Structures are given as C-alpha cells and as structure tokens.
Amino acid sequence: MKHFTWTWYTLSMATGGIANVLHSVPLRFTGLYTIGLIFFFINIVIFILVTIGMFLRWYYWPAAFRASFFHPTESLFIPASVIAIATILVTITQYGLAPGKTGPWLLDAMVIIFWIYMGSAIIFSTGIYLLLWNTQTFTVQTMTPIWIFPAYPLLLIGPLASAVTSPPTGAVGSRGLQIIVGGMIGHGMGFLLSLTMHATYVYRMMTQKLPNEGSRPGMFISVGPSGFTVTGVIGMAGNLEGIVTASFMGEDGPFAARVTKIVGYWAGTWLYGLALIFFFIAVGAHWSVFRHKNPFSMTWNSFIFPNTALTTATFAVAGAFSLEPLQIVGCVMTCLLILMWFFVVGSGIRAVVKKQILWPMKQEDADDDDDDENPMKTMRQGLKQRRTHSYDPRNQLNQG
C-alpha cells in the first residue's frame, strides 16, 4: 500500500465517465438505464476502496503520503480525487433526478452541493497549481497534457450545472439561472486555463517531438477540456429557455433565452472541432506504441475518461441539431469505450498479479532512477548533491 498512488482515482473517473455516457445515449432501449446504474454503483465501490487505500497509505506511511504532494509526477494526479467526486455528483444528478426515481429532496440537496463543489473546485485547482509552481520546476521538454489535470475539477462544473438544471426535474427559476451563470463562470476558468496549457503542449510537440511512448496515453487528456466544455455549454444553453422569466435580460426573456441557446449551440459545435483534432492527434501518436508491448500503468485510464467527454459532446451536438448519423457515431463510440474499460480493468488486474504496479519503482511515485536522461531525475540529483555538500562535516573540516 506504500505505492498506492493518487492515479488509482483515475479508475473511478473512467468508470463514472462510462455511467455518464450511458445516461447520455439518445437511442434508448430497455435495460440501458439499469446498465448505466450498474456502472454508477461500481464507481461508488471503486471510489470507496481507493479512498480506503489512500487512507492506509497515509496511516502507515505518512512520509510517503506527504512526499506525494511534492513529487513531480504523482502530484499532478492529486486532482483525480476531486474529479472522481465530480463524476459521482454528475451521475447522482442524472440517475437520481430521472422522472419517478426520487423526490424533490434530492434536487434541493444537489443545488446546495453544486455551490459547495464549485467553491471547492476553484480553491483546489488554484491551490494545487500554486503548490506545483512553488515546489516544482518543469520544462517545456517534459510537458505533457497531464499539466492540464489540475484544471479538470473546474471543467466538471459546467456538466454538473447542466445536469442540475436539466428538465423536467431540474432546478428552475432564480436558482436555476444562478446555477447556469455560476456554471459558465466556473467552467470558463477551467477551459481558459487549459487553453493556455494547450498552447504549451503544441509548442512542445513542435520543438521536442511527441512524448515518449510510456507517456502517450496522457495525450488523450487534451481531449477532455473541449469535450466537457461542449457538453456543458450546449447543455446549459439548452436548459436556459425553460428556466428564465419574462424579464430576463430585458422585456422579452424567452427571446433572449432562445438567442442564447442558438449562440451556445454554435459555440459548442465550434469547440467540438478542437476536441476532435486533439483526439485524432492522440490516436495517431499511438500507432507506433501499438507495435510495441508497453507495461501497464494507471494512466491507461486516459484512454477512457477524456474520451467519455468527447462522446457526450458528440451526443450534445447531435441533439442540438437533430443529427441522427452523429447519434449513431456516438453510440459506436460508447460501445468502444465500454470494451476499452474492460480491457483496461483486465490489464490492471493482470499488472497487479504480475507485480507491474503497486511495487517500488513501478508507478508514478517512482524516482525514475533507471532513466539517466530524465530531466526531473537530474534536477533532484543536483538538489541532493547540493544538500549533501552543504551539510557534509568533512567539507566543514576541510574549509576550516
């Protein structure tokens, strides 16, 4: 358990993402709700088990747990715990607020939880970036889309706001409007912050080529910001018309809501193209990886979670413009995601049995001592040498 890292929360993210996608499928059939509910409960169990594992790591190896906050790789995955909570909240809203499933108490609770989550996400994302910028030194040569990860808690604010205000059982009136405005502000923070990271990511590939093969699953993380933004913006814009009053933005509230919906639909469709191009780049970058046998790592869950955002974005665009062919494409993507989930989970179980993970030097908490070209290793060695030189008693005697 000493090497039970924050990356295990990515399994909860992936499982919750599957439940989210299954709820969004427009071509429904009997039993689809139940299948999604099964993934929802599996996600709850996974989240609890991972949290217990992290607690045991903190209890028995407090030094290793504290070190995870300052590790150049593992610290980037700390936000996975908050993102996993966000996926649970989104799916609770989707499956719990379905007509005839629960009472109005759940909506009242989710309205309060939304504001708690939004405030917590802003504080957490700001805090984790400040922690990284105060304790780590990153270079463009080592840049991967994982740098975007601390902004992901903000990127779930929009989809959560959309779910809480979704008709016919979502929040309406003034509190519904407040949630949508808050969702746009909070989500805008995350998307614009991730957009700056995208520029660095493209610059890194132009000057340093693609990331090494072991890091390439993380390239799919670049798909998530645009995908979640498409889902959130189109969802909130579509919900607005049933929420506003006649005095919204002037004397003709419904007309203003319809204009906002049209703008939101086209803006979301425009950003959908950005998600697609990063998806195609990530898929193309794995062509050489598939020809080699790479060891399993928890970052393989990046094959799933960011692409659930692309899939829900596909359904959102298809629903906005009533595009049945795009709905079919989204259904195919859903089937592939479920198959990928089983593949990744199976590979993870196999990796545990073969001691490829949960062992020293096998996960993201490794010091990369076997990589002489790793710049983070070089930096840590330099700091270690300076500390050793500064406090070596023999050096003090020689100076005396």
Side-chain angles (χ1 to χ4, degrees):
M1 299 304 294
K2 181 179 180 180
H3 301 282
F4 193 89
T5 66
W6 294 95
T7 53
W8 280 85
Y9 278 108
T10 60
L11 178 58
S12 176
M13 291 164 46
T15 308
I18 294 292
N20 178 25
V21 168
L22 289 172
H23 180 272
S24 304
V25 172
L27 305 178
R28 314 293 294 180
F29 61 86
T30 303
L32 183 59
Y33 178 88
T34 303
I35 296 173
L37 205 59
I38 290 172
F39 275 96
F40 167 75
F41 284 117
I42 291 175
N43 183 33
I44 296 292
V45 172
I46 290 173
F47 180 83
I48 293 173
L49 292 176
V50 172
T51 302
I52 291 173
M54 292 302 299
F55 174 79
L56 292 175
R57 184 189 186 192
W58 167 79
Y59 186 79
Y60 289 105
W61 295 277
F65 181 80
R66 287 193 299 268
S68 69
F69 288 86
F70 305 100
H71 191 279
T73 302
E74 188 183 359
S75 59
L76 288 167
F77 287 94
I78 295 174
S81 58
V82 180
I83 303 168
I85 293 174
T87 61
I88 292 174
L89 295 179
V90 170
T91 49
I92 284 176
T93 306
Q94 291 173 329
Y95 288 92
L97 291 182
K101 300 300 180 182
T102 59
W105 64 267
L106 181 59
L107 176 61
D108 295 336
M110 292 310 302
V111 169
I112 297 172
I113 291 173
F114 168 81
W115 292 112
I116 294 174
Y117 174 78
M118 179 176 171
S120 301
I122 293 172
I123 294 171
F124 184 86
S125 292
T126 303
I128 196 66
Y129 270 124
L130 286 173
L131 176 67
L132 293 172
W133 294 337
N134 275 284
T135 60
Q136 306 295 336
T137 301
F138 297 100
T139 61
V140 174
Q141 290 83 355
T142 61
M143 198 280 171
T144 68
I146 294 176
W147 288 14
I148 303 172
F149 219 48
Y152 258 67
L154 298 170
L155 293 167
L156 270 295
I157 293 177
L160 180 58
S162 174
V164 174
T165 58
S166 180
T169 56
V172 295
S174 61
R175 68 175 182 173
L177 180 60
Q178 291 166 6
I179 288 174
I180 288 180
V181 173
M184 289 295 291
I185 294 172
H187 196 102
M189 293 179 186
F191 178 71
L192 293 176
L193 182 58
S194 67
L195 200 61
T196 63
M197 298 291 180
H198 277 97
T200 307
Y201 173 47
V202 174
Y203 176 77
R204 178 252 187 272
M205 290 193 293
M206 292 294 291
T207 58
Q208 303 294 327
K209 298 183 179 179
L210 293 171
N212 62 63
E213 293 185 353
S215 301
R216 290 188 192 179
M219 293 179 68
F220 284 102
I221 294 176
S222 62
V223 178
S226 302
F228 284 122
T229 302
V230 172
T231 304
V233 169
I234 289 182
M236 289 185 288
N239 296 342
L240 189 62
E241 191 172 2
I243 290 175
V244 300
T245 61
S247 60
F248 173 68
M249 297 183 73
E251 297 180 355
D252 194 346
F255 175 75
R258 286 193 294 272
V259 172
T260 304
K261 181 173 72 171
I262 293 171
V263 173
Y265 281 7
W266 283 112
T269 305
W270 185 64
L271 287 175
Y272 181 63
L274 183 61
L276 284 176
I277 190 62
F278 279 117
F279 172 77
F280 293 141
I281 290 172
V283 171
H286 281 76
W287 176 253
S288 61
V289 177
F290 293 143
R291 292 180 294 177
H292 303 89
K293 191 173 182 179
N294 289 299
F296 174 85
S297 70
M298 293 304 296
T299 56
W300 282 24
N301 287 299
S302 298
F303 291 136
I304 305 170
F305 182 70
N307 292 322
T308 63
L310 180 63
T311 305
T312 55
T314 300
F315 288 139
V317 174
F321 299 100
S322 302
L323 302 175
E324 186 174 350
L326 197 57
Q327 291 179 345
I328 295 174
V329 171
C331 291
V332 173
M333 294 169 66
T334 302
C335 294
L336 293 176
L337 281 173
I338 294 174
L339 292 176
M340 181 59 73
W341 184 86
F342 281 106
F343 171 74
V344 171
V345 171
S347 299
I349 295 172
R350 180 174 177 270
V352 172
V353 173
K354 292 200 165 206
K355 301 180 180 180
Q356 293 178 349
I357 56 176
L358 293 180
W359 283 82
M361 304 304 297
K362 295 293 185 180
Q363 281 197 255
E364 288 70 21
D365 60 337
D367 289 330
D368 302 320
D369 289 339
D370 57 341
D371 186 358
D372 292 332
E373 296 182 357
N374 190 303
M376 301 310 300
K377 175 195 170 184
T378 303
M379 181 186 73
R380 291 195 297 273
Q381 285 181 336
L383 292 172
K384 183 178 179 181
Q385 289 172 359
R386 287 200 294 270
R387 288 195 299 266
T388 302
H389 181 77
S390 299
Y391 295 100
D392 191 341
R394 291 173 296 182
N395 292 333
Q396 300 294 330
L397 291 173
N398 291 337
Q399 292 174 3

